[in-house]
PDB file of all heavy atoms in Angstrom:
ATOM      1  N   SER A   1     -78.777 -34.676  72.179  1.00 66.00           N
ATOM      2  CA  SER A   1     -79.439 -34.812  73.428  1.00 66.00           C
ATOM      3  C   SER A   1     -78.685 -33.981  74.471  1.00 66.00           C
ATOM      4  O   SER A   1     -77.511 -33.742  74.274  1.00 66.00           O
ATOM      5  CB  SER A   1     -79.551 -36.263  73.849  1.00 66.00           C
ATOM      6  OG  SER A   1     -78.191 -36.818  74.104  1.00 66.00           O
ATOM      7  N   VAL A   2     -79.398 -33.565  75.458  1.00 66.00           N
ATOM      8  CA  VAL A   2     -78.742 -32.837  76.582  1.00 66.00           C
ATOM      9  C   VAL A   2     -78.168 -33.860  77.526  1.00 66.00           C
ATOM     10  O   VAL A   2     -78.923 -34.644  78.092  1.00 66.00           O
ATOM     11  CB  VAL A   2     -79.760 -31.906  77.288  1.00 66.00           C
ATOM     12  CG1 VAL A   2     -79.086 -31.208  78.450  1.00 66.00           C
ATOM     13  CG2 VAL A   2     -80.345 -30.880  76.296  1.00 66.00           C
ATOM     14  N   GLU A   3     -76.835 -33.913  77.606  1.00 65.00           N
ATOM     15  CA  GLU A   3     -76.237 -34.878  78.512  1.00 65.00           C
ATOM     16  C   GLU A   3     -76.320 -34.459  79.902  1.00 65.00           C
ATOM     17  O   GLU A   3     -76.195 -33.235  80.225  1.00 65.00           O
ATOM     18  CB  GLU A   3     -74.751 -35.083  78.070  1.00 65.00           C
ATOM     19  CG  GLU A   3     -74.715 -35.645  76.639  1.00 65.00           C
ATOM     20  CD  GLU A   3     -73.445 -36.410  76.443  1.00 65.00           C
ATOM     21  OE1 GLU A   3     -72.729 -36.733  77.460  1.00 65.00           O
ATOM     22  OE2 GLU A   3     -73.145 -36.713  75.302  1.00 65.00           O
ATOM     23  N   ARG A   4     -76.531 -35.443  80.744  1.00 63.00           N
ATOM     24  CA  ARG A   4     -76.563 -35.161  82.187  1.00 63.00           C
ATOM     25  C   ARG A   4     -75.127 -34.800  82.629  1.00 63.00           C
ATOM     26  O   ARG A   4     -74.200 -35.518  82.356  1.00 63.00           O
ATOM     27  CB  ARG A   4     -76.995 -36.438  82.875  1.00 63.00           C
ATOM     28  CG  ARG A   4     -77.356 -36.313  84.304  1.00 63.00           C
ATOM     29  CD  ARG A   4     -77.888 -37.644  84.796  1.00 63.00           C
ATOM     30  NE  ARG A   4     -78.733 -37.359  85.942  1.00 63.00           N
ATOM     31  CZ  ARG A   4     -79.403 -38.303  86.511  1.00 63.00           C
ATOM     32  NH1 ARG A   4     -79.360 -39.514  86.121  1.00 63.00           N
ATOM     33  NH2 ARG A   4     -80.184 -37.959  87.567  1.00 63.00           N
ATOM     34  N   PRO A   5     -74.989 -33.690  83.368  1.00 59.00           N
ATOM     35  CA  PRO A   5     -73.659 -33.297  83.839  1.00 59.00           C
ATOM     36  C   PRO A   5     -73.089 -34.405  84.716  1.00 59.00           C
ATOM     37  O   PRO A   5     -73.802 -35.026  85.475  1.00 59.00           O
ATOM     38  CB  PRO A   5     -73.935 -31.993  84.621  1.00 59.00           C
ATOM     39  CG  PRO A   5     -75.229 -31.481  84.102  1.00 59.00           C
ATOM     40  CD  PRO A   5     -76.021 -32.675  83.739  1.00 59.00           C
ATOM     41  N   SER A   6     -71.817 -34.617  84.643  1.00 61.00           N
ATOM     42  CA  SER A   6     -71.212 -35.601  85.460  1.00 61.00           C
ATOM     43  C   SER A   6     -71.132 -35.162  86.922  1.00 61.00           C
ATOM     44  O   SER A   6     -71.014 -33.974  87.140  1.00 61.00           O
ATOM     45  CB  SER A   6     -69.814 -35.999  84.973  1.00 61.00           C
ATOM     46  OG  SER A   6     -69.031 -34.824  85.010  1.00 61.00           O
ATOM     47  N   LEU A   7     -71.227 -36.146  87.795  1.00 58.00           N
ATOM     48  CA  LEU A   7     -71.134 -35.811  89.229  1.00 58.00           C
ATOM     49  C   LEU A   7     -69.650 -35.677  89.622  1.00 58.00           C
ATOM     50  O   LEU A   7     -68.858 -36.479  89.132  1.00 58.00           O
ATOM     51  CB  LEU A   7     -71.802 -36.877  90.057  1.00 58.00           C
ATOM     52  CG  LEU A   7     -73.256 -37.081  89.841  1.00 58.00           C
ATOM     53  CD1 LEU A   7     -73.782 -38.263  90.613  1.00 58.00           C
ATOM     54  CD2 LEU A   7     -74.034 -35.809  90.214  1.00 58.00           C
ATOM     55  N   THR A   8     -69.347 -34.713  90.450  1.00 62.00           N
ATOM     56  CA  THR A   8     -67.997 -34.588  90.950  1.00 62.00           C
ATOM     57  C   THR A   8     -67.992 -34.853  92.446  1.00 62.00           C
ATOM     58  O   THR A   8     -68.922 -34.428  93.119  1.00 62.00           O
ATOM     59  CB  THR A   8     -67.467 -33.181  90.635  1.00 62.00           C
ATOM     60  OG1 THR A   8     -68.322 -32.263  91.194  1.00 62.00           O
ATOM     61  CG2 THR A   8     -67.337 -32.982  89.187  1.00 62.00           C
ATOM     62  N   PRO A   9     -66.989 -35.539  92.975  1.00 64.00           N
ATOM     63  CA  PRO A   9     -66.956 -35.857  94.347  1.00 64.00           C
ATOM     64  C   PRO A   9     -66.792 -34.562  95.218  1.00 64.00           C
ATOM     65  O   PRO A   9     -66.165 -33.655  94.751  1.00 64.00           O
ATOM     66  CB  PRO A   9     -65.732 -36.723  94.531  1.00 64.00           C
ATOM     67  CG  PRO A   9     -65.116 -36.895  93.211  1.00 64.00           C
ATOM     68  CD  PRO A   9     -65.871 -36.071  92.226  1.00 64.00           C
ATOM     69  N   ARG A  10     -67.451 -34.586  96.327  1.00 60.00           N
ATOM     70  CA  ARG A  10     -67.303 -33.397  97.186  1.00 60.00           C
ATOM     71  C   ARG A  10     -66.058 -33.529  98.061  1.00 60.00           C
ATOM     72  O   ARG A  10     -65.598 -34.646  98.345  1.00 60.00           O
ATOM     73  CB  ARG A  10     -68.560 -33.306  98.136  1.00 60.00           C
ATOM     74  CG  ARG A  10     -69.807 -32.975  97.383  1.00 60.00           C
ATOM     75  CD  ARG A  10     -70.834 -32.444  98.290  1.00 60.00           C
ATOM     76  NE  ARG A  10     -71.361 -33.486  99.225  1.00 60.00           N
ATOM     77  CZ  ARG A  10     -72.292 -33.262 100.110  1.00 60.00           C
ATOM     78  NH1 ARG A  10     -72.778 -32.084 100.260  1.00 60.00           N
ATOM     79  NH2 ARG A  10     -72.760 -34.215 100.855  1.00 60.00           N
ATOM     80  N   GLU A  11     -65.478 -32.403  98.329  1.00 65.00           N
ATOM     81  CA  GLU A  11     -64.270 -32.422  99.209  1.00 65.00           C
ATOM     82  C   GLU A  11     -64.713 -32.813 100.607  1.00 65.00           C
ATOM     83  O   GLU A  11     -65.815 -32.470 101.010  1.00 65.00           O
ATOM     84  CB  GLU A  11     -63.677 -30.995  99.225  1.00 65.00           C
ATOM     85  CG  GLU A  11     -63.107 -30.582  97.868  1.00 65.00           C
ATOM     86  CD  GLU A  11     -61.940 -31.434  97.445  1.00 65.00           C
ATOM     87  OE1 GLU A  11     -61.115 -31.829  98.218  1.00 65.00           O
ATOM     88  OE2 GLU A  11     -61.860 -31.696  96.167  1.00 65.00           O
ATOM     89  N   ASN A  12     -63.885 -33.508 101.333  1.00 61.00           N
ATOM     90  CA  ASN A  12     -64.146 -33.779 102.765  1.00 61.00           C
ATOM     91  C   ASN A  12     -64.096 -32.468 103.517  1.00 61.00           C
ATOM     92  O   ASN A  12     -63.105 -31.760 103.463  1.00 61.00           O
ATOM     93  CB  ASN A  12     -63.128 -34.782 103.338  1.00 61.00           C
ATOM     94  CG  ASN A  12     -63.323 -36.130 102.770  1.00 61.00           C
ATOM     95  OD1 ASN A  12     -64.354 -36.488 102.251  1.00 61.00           O
ATOM     96  ND2 ASN A  12     -62.266 -36.965 102.825  1.00 61.00           N
ATOM     97  N   SER A  13     -65.176 -32.221 104.174  1.00 57.00           N
ATOM     98  CA  SER A  13     -65.204 -30.956 105.002  1.00 57.00           C
ATOM     99  C   SER A  13     -66.222 -31.250 106.153  1.00 57.00           C
ATOM    100  O   SER A  13     -66.927 -32.186 106.162  1.00 57.00           O
ATOM    101  CB  SER A  13     -65.625 -29.807 104.183  1.00 57.00           C
ATOM    102  OG  SER A  13     -66.999 -29.938 103.848  1.00 57.00           O
ATOM    103  N   GLU A  14     -66.256 -30.327 107.007  1.00 57.00           N
ATOM    104  CA  GLU A  14     -67.164 -30.480 108.217  1.00 57.00           C
ATOM    105  C   GLU A  14     -68.593 -30.301 107.730  1.00 57.00           C
ATOM    106  O   GLU A  14     -69.534 -30.640 108.414  1.00 57.00           O
ATOM    107  CB  GLU A  14     -66.814 -29.469 109.246  1.00 57.00           C
ATOM    108  CG  GLU A  14     -65.428 -29.782 109.843  1.00 57.00           C
ATOM    109  CD  GLU A  14     -65.083 -28.904 111.072  1.00 57.00           C
ATOM    110  OE1 GLU A  14     -66.068 -28.473 111.744  1.00 57.00           O
ATOM    111  OE2 GLU A  14     -63.925 -28.745 111.325  1.00 57.00           O
ATOM    112  N   THR A  15     -68.883 -29.709 106.576  1.00 51.00           N
ATOM    113  CA  THR A  15     -70.212 -29.569 106.089  1.00 51.00           C
ATOM    114  C   THR A  15     -70.699 -30.788 105.284  1.00 51.00           C
ATOM    115  O   THR A  15     -71.840 -30.789 104.903  1.00 51.00           O
ATOM    116  CB  THR A  15     -70.339 -28.289 105.222  1.00 51.00           C
ATOM    117  OG1 THR A  15     -69.438 -28.386 104.077  1.00 51.00           O
ATOM    118  CG2 THR A  15     -69.987 -26.996 105.998  1.00 51.00           C
ATOM    119  N   SER A  16     -69.831 -31.719 105.062  1.00 53.00           N
ATOM    120  CA  SER A  16     -70.220 -32.936 104.327  1.00 53.00           C
ATOM    121  C   SER A  16     -71.262 -33.684 105.151  1.00 53.00           C
ATOM    122  O   SER A  16     -71.215 -33.702 106.335  1.00 53.00           O
ATOM    123  CB  SER A  16     -69.015 -33.853 104.016  1.00 53.00           C
ATOM    124  OG  SER A  16     -68.151 -33.199 103.172  1.00 53.00           O
ATOM    125  N   GLU A  17     -72.170 -34.361 104.387  1.00 65.00           N
ATOM    126  CA  GLU A  17     -73.151 -35.157 105.061  1.00 65.00           C
ATOM    127  C   GLU A  17     -72.508 -36.401 105.679  1.00 65.00           C
ATOM    128  O   GLU A  17     -71.570 -36.977 105.146  1.00 65.00           O
ATOM    129  CB  GLU A  17     -74.215 -35.546 104.084  1.00 65.00           C
ATOM    130  CG  GLU A  17     -75.003 -34.363 103.557  1.00 65.00           C
ATOM    131  CD  GLU A  17     -76.154 -34.781 102.633  1.00 65.00           C
ATOM    132  OE1 GLU A  17     -76.681 -35.837 102.808  1.00 65.00           O
ATOM    133  OE2 GLU A  17     -76.337 -33.972 101.743  1.00 65.00           O
ATOM    134  N   VAL A  18     -73.001 -36.814 106.835  1.00 72.00           N
ATOM    135  CA  VAL A  18     -72.458 -37.944 107.548  1.00 72.00           C
ATOM    136  C   VAL A  18     -73.180 -39.211 107.077  1.00 72.00           C
ATOM    137  O   VAL A  18     -74.378 -39.183 106.992  1.00 72.00           O
ATOM    138  CB  VAL A  18     -72.595 -37.751 109.061  1.00 72.00           C
ATOM    139  CG1 VAL A  18     -72.080 -38.976 109.796  1.00 72.00           C
ATOM    140  CG2 VAL A  18     -71.896 -36.489 109.476  1.00 72.00           C
ATOM    141  N   LEU A  19     -72.465 -40.287 106.837  1.00 74.00           N
ATOM    142  CA  LEU A  19     -73.086 -41.559 106.453  1.00 74.00           C
ATOM    143  C   LEU A  19     -73.650 -42.182 107.686  1.00 74.00           C
ATOM    144  O   LEU A  19     -73.136 -42.059 108.794  1.00 74.00           O
ATOM    145  CB  LEU A  19     -72.052 -42.490 105.810  1.00 74.00           C
ATOM    146  CG  LEU A  19     -71.401 -42.036 104.519  1.00 74.00           C
ATOM    147  CD1 LEU A  19     -70.426 -43.089 104.073  1.00 74.00           C
ATOM    148  CD2 LEU A  19     -72.450 -41.867 103.400  1.00 74.00           C
ATOM    149  N   SER A  20     -74.769 -42.910 107.500  1.00 78.00           N
ATOM    150  CA  SER A  20     -75.295 -43.723 108.589  1.00 78.00           C
ATOM    151  C   SER A  20     -74.351 -44.869 108.908  1.00 78.00           C
ATOM    152  O   SER A  20     -73.476 -45.216 108.108  1.00 78.00           O
ATOM    153  CB  SER A  20     -76.671 -44.224 108.207  1.00 78.00           C
ATOM    154  OG  SER A  20     -76.563 -45.258 107.284  1.00 78.00           O
ATOM    155  N   PHE A  21     -74.541 -45.517 110.036  1.00 78.00           N
ATOM    156  CA  PHE A  21     -73.679 -46.649 110.350  1.00 78.00           C
ATOM    157  C   PHE A  21     -73.787 -47.711 109.332  1.00 78.00           C
ATOM    158  O   PHE A  21     -72.746 -48.334 108.940  1.00 78.00           O
ATOM    159  CB  PHE A  21     -74.052 -47.162 111.795  1.00 78.00           C
ATOM    160  CG  PHE A  21     -73.223 -48.385 112.154  1.00 78.00           C
ATOM    161  CD1 PHE A  21     -71.867 -48.203 112.503  1.00 78.00           C
ATOM    162  CD2 PHE A  21     -73.745 -49.655 112.115  1.00 78.00           C
ATOM    163  CE1 PHE A  21     -71.084 -49.297 112.841  1.00 78.00           C
ATOM    164  CE2 PHE A  21     -72.969 -50.788 112.438  1.00 78.00           C
ATOM    165  CZ  PHE A  21     -71.675 -50.592 112.824  1.00 78.00           C
ATOM    166  N   ALA A  22     -75.039 -47.994 108.847  1.00 78.00           N
ATOM    167  CA  ALA A  22     -75.200 -49.061 107.828  1.00 78.00           C
ATOM    168  C   ALA A  22     -74.471 -48.685 106.520  1.00 78.00           C
ATOM    169  O   ALA A  22     -73.883 -49.538 105.883  1.00 78.00           O
ATOM    170  CB  ALA A  22     -76.706 -49.230 107.569  1.00 78.00           C
ATOM    171  N   GLN A  23     -74.518 -47.397 106.153  1.00 77.00           N
ATOM    172  CA  GLN A  23     -73.829 -46.968 104.915  1.00 77.00           C
ATOM    173  C   GLN A  23     -72.322 -47.112 105.146  1.00 77.00           C
ATOM    174  O   GLN A  23     -71.613 -47.558 104.235  1.00 77.00           O
ATOM    175  CB  GLN A  23     -74.200 -45.546 104.580  1.00 77.00           C
ATOM    176  CG  GLN A  23     -75.626 -45.324 104.100  1.00 77.00           C
ATOM    177  CD  GLN A  23     -75.964 -43.894 104.013  1.00 77.00           C
ATOM    178  OE1 GLN A  23     -75.637 -43.112 104.833  1.00 77.00           O
ATOM    179  NE2 GLN A  23     -76.692 -43.595 102.944  1.00 77.00           N
ATOM    180  N   GLN A  24     -71.859 -46.793 106.329  1.00 80.00           N
ATOM    181  CA  GLN A  24     -70.406 -46.867 106.610  1.00 80.00           C
ATOM    182  C   GLN A  24     -69.961 -48.305 106.486  1.00 80.00           C
ATOM    183  O   GLN A  24     -68.889 -48.637 105.972  1.00 80.00           O
ATOM    184  CB  GLN A  24     -70.049 -46.309 107.957  1.00 80.00           C
ATOM    185  CG  GLN A  24     -70.208 -44.820 108.109  1.00 80.00           C
ATOM    186  CD  GLN A  24     -69.907 -44.320 109.546  1.00 80.00           C
ATOM    187  OE1 GLN A  24     -69.330 -45.051 110.308  1.00 80.00           O
ATOM    188  NE2 GLN A  24     -70.464 -43.136 109.859  1.00 80.00           N
ATOM    189  N   ARG A  25     -70.783 -49.240 107.043  1.00 80.00           N
ATOM    190  CA  ARG A  25     -70.459 -50.638 107.084  1.00 80.00           C
ATOM    191  C   ARG A  25     -70.434 -51.176 105.667  1.00 80.00           C
ATOM    192  O   ARG A  25     -69.461 -51.895 105.268  1.00 80.00           O
ATOM    193  CB  ARG A  25     -71.504 -51.413 107.845  1.00 80.00           C
ATOM    194  CG  ARG A  25     -71.218 -52.925 107.921  1.00 80.00           C
ATOM    195  CD  ARG A  25     -72.272 -53.618 108.742  1.00 80.00           C
ATOM    196  NE  ARG A  25     -73.495 -53.661 107.972  1.00 80.00           N
ATOM    197  CZ  ARG A  25     -74.704 -53.273 108.441  1.00 80.00           C
ATOM    198  NH1 ARG A  25     -74.830 -52.770 109.652  1.00 80.00           N
ATOM    199  NH2 ARG A  25     -75.739 -53.310 107.707  1.00 80.00           N
ATOM    200  N   LEU A  26     -71.386 -50.803 104.792  1.00 77.00           N
ATOM    201  CA  LEU A  26     -71.354 -51.302 103.350  1.00 77.00           C
ATOM    202  C   LEU A  26     -70.199 -50.719 102.607  1.00 77.00           C
ATOM    203  O   LEU A  26     -69.570 -51.422 101.810  1.00 77.00           O
ATOM    204  CB  LEU A  26     -72.705 -50.954 102.679  1.00 77.00           C
ATOM    205  CG  LEU A  26     -73.909 -51.694 103.176  1.00 77.00           C
ATOM    206  CD1 LEU A  26     -75.149 -51.187 102.539  1.00 77.00           C
ATOM    207  CD2 LEU A  26     -73.745 -53.162 102.883  1.00 77.00           C
ATOM    208  N   TRP A  27     -69.856 -49.457 102.882  1.00 79.00           N
ATOM    209  CA  TRP A  27     -68.682 -48.841 102.233  1.00 79.00           C
ATOM    210  C   TRP A  27     -67.444 -49.577 102.623  1.00 79.00           C
ATOM    211  O   TRP A  27     -66.574 -49.874 101.766  1.00 79.00           O
ATOM    212  CB  TRP A  27     -68.587 -47.375 102.569  1.00 79.00           C
ATOM    213  CG  TRP A  27     -67.375 -46.711 101.961  1.00 79.00           C
ATOM    214  CD1 TRP A  27     -67.283 -46.141 100.724  1.00 79.00           C
ATOM    215  CD2 TRP A  27     -66.091 -46.589 102.552  1.00 79.00           C
ATOM    216  NE1 TRP A  27     -66.038 -45.656 100.494  1.00 79.00           N
ATOM    217  CE2 TRP A  27     -65.266 -45.920 101.596  1.00 79.00           C
ATOM    218  CE3 TRP A  27     -65.537 -46.926 103.799  1.00 79.00           C
ATOM    219  CZ2 TRP A  27     -63.915 -45.626 101.869  1.00 79.00           C
ATOM    220  CZ3 TRP A  27     -64.210 -46.638 104.037  1.00 79.00           C
ATOM    221  CH2 TRP A  27     -63.432 -45.998 103.089  1.00 79.00           C
ATOM    222  N   PHE A  28     -67.302 -49.877 103.921  1.00 81.00           N
ATOM    223  CA  PHE A  28     -66.102 -50.562 104.452  1.00 81.00           C
ATOM    224  C   PHE A  28     -65.997 -51.971 103.799  1.00 81.00           C
ATOM    225  O   PHE A  28     -64.916 -52.354 103.320  1.00 81.00           O
ATOM    226  CB  PHE A  28     -66.159 -50.690 105.976  1.00 81.00           C
ATOM    227  CG  PHE A  28     -64.985 -51.482 106.498  1.00 81.00           C
ATOM    228  CD1 PHE A  28     -63.745 -50.898 106.566  1.00 81.00           C
ATOM    229  CD2 PHE A  28     -65.177 -52.819 106.969  1.00 81.00           C
ATOM    230  CE1 PHE A  28     -62.646 -51.654 107.068  1.00 81.00           C
ATOM    231  CE2 PHE A  28     -64.105 -53.525 107.432  1.00 81.00           C
ATOM    232  CZ  PHE A  28     -62.856 -52.892 107.467  1.00 81.00           C
ATOM    233  N   ILE A  29     -67.076 -52.729 103.760  1.00 78.00           N
ATOM    234  CA  ILE A  29     -67.055 -54.047 103.167  1.00 78.00           C
ATOM    235  C   ILE A  29     -66.655 -53.990 101.688  1.00 78.00           C
ATOM    236  O   ILE A  29     -65.883 -54.760 101.160  1.00 78.00           O
ATOM    237  CB  ILE A  29     -68.412 -54.752 103.373  1.00 78.00           C
ATOM    238  CG1 ILE A  29     -68.604 -55.091 104.782  1.00 78.00           C
ATOM    239  CG2 ILE A  29     -68.552 -55.987 102.500  1.00 78.00           C
ATOM    240  CD1 ILE A  29     -70.003 -55.525 105.160  1.00 78.00           C
ATOM    241  N   ASP A  30     -67.199 -52.968 100.985  1.00 77.00           N
ATOM    242  CA  ASP A  30     -66.881 -52.782  99.508  1.00 77.00           C
ATOM    243  C   ASP A  30     -65.416 -52.483  99.361  1.00 77.00           C
ATOM    244  O   ASP A  30     -64.750 -53.077  98.487  1.00 77.00           O
ATOM    245  CB  ASP A  30     -67.733 -51.723  98.915  1.00 77.00           C
ATOM    246  CG  ASP A  30     -67.458 -51.541  97.433  1.00 77.00           C
ATOM    247  OD1 ASP A  30     -67.784 -52.484  96.713  1.00 77.00           O
ATOM    248  OD2 ASP A  30     -66.978 -50.478  97.035  1.00 77.00           O
ATOM    249  N   GLN A  31     -64.845 -51.668 100.242  1.00 80.00           N
ATOM    250  CA  GLN A  31     -63.418 -51.362 100.146  1.00 80.00           C
ATOM    251  C   GLN A  31     -62.572 -52.575 100.500  1.00 80.00           C
ATOM    252  O   GLN A  31     -61.575 -52.844  99.832  1.00 80.00           O
ATOM    253  CB  GLN A  31     -63.075 -50.167 101.118  1.00 80.00           C
ATOM    254  CG  GLN A  31     -63.734 -48.887 100.772  1.00 80.00           C
ATOM    255  CD  GLN A  31     -63.465 -48.376  99.458  1.00 80.00           C
ATOM    256  OE1 GLN A  31     -62.369 -48.258  99.027  1.00 80.00           O
ATOM    257  NE2 GLN A  31     -64.549 -48.181  98.648  1.00 80.00           N
ATOM    258  N   LEU A  32     -62.996 -53.392 101.472  1.00 81.00           N
ATOM    259  CA  LEU A  32     -62.262 -54.500 101.924  1.00 81.00           C
ATOM    260  C   LEU A  32     -62.244 -55.642 100.910  1.00 81.00           C
ATOM    261  O   LEU A  32     -61.292 -56.278 100.610  1.00 81.00           O
ATOM    262  CB  LEU A  32     -62.838 -54.999 103.244  1.00 81.00           C
ATOM    263  CG  LEU A  32     -62.127 -56.117 103.968  1.00 81.00           C
ATOM    264  CD1 LEU A  32     -60.774 -55.634 104.447  1.00 81.00           C
ATOM    265  CD2 LEU A  32     -62.936 -56.556 105.168  1.00 81.00           C
TER     266      LEU A  32
END
């Protein structure tokens, strides 16, 4: 089978997409 290529994290840069406030909140709670 053709395996799906693995995703690699993007480097933090000014061109990175910004998370919405709700996404930031969920990420923070998950980290906490």
Side-chain angles (χ1 to χ4, degrees):
S1 64
V2 177
E3 296 205 14
R4 192 176 205 175
S6 61
L7 297 176
T8 54
R10 291 199 290 180
E11 296 294 323
N12 289 339
S13 70
E14 294 189 25
T15 61
S16 294
E17 294 181 34
V18 178
L19 296 176
S20 70
F21 178 74
Q23 291 170 319
Q24 290 176 23
R25 182 180 70 234
L26 289 174
W27 178 86
F28 176 76
I29 291 170
D30 183 64
Q31 298 302 305
L32 187 65

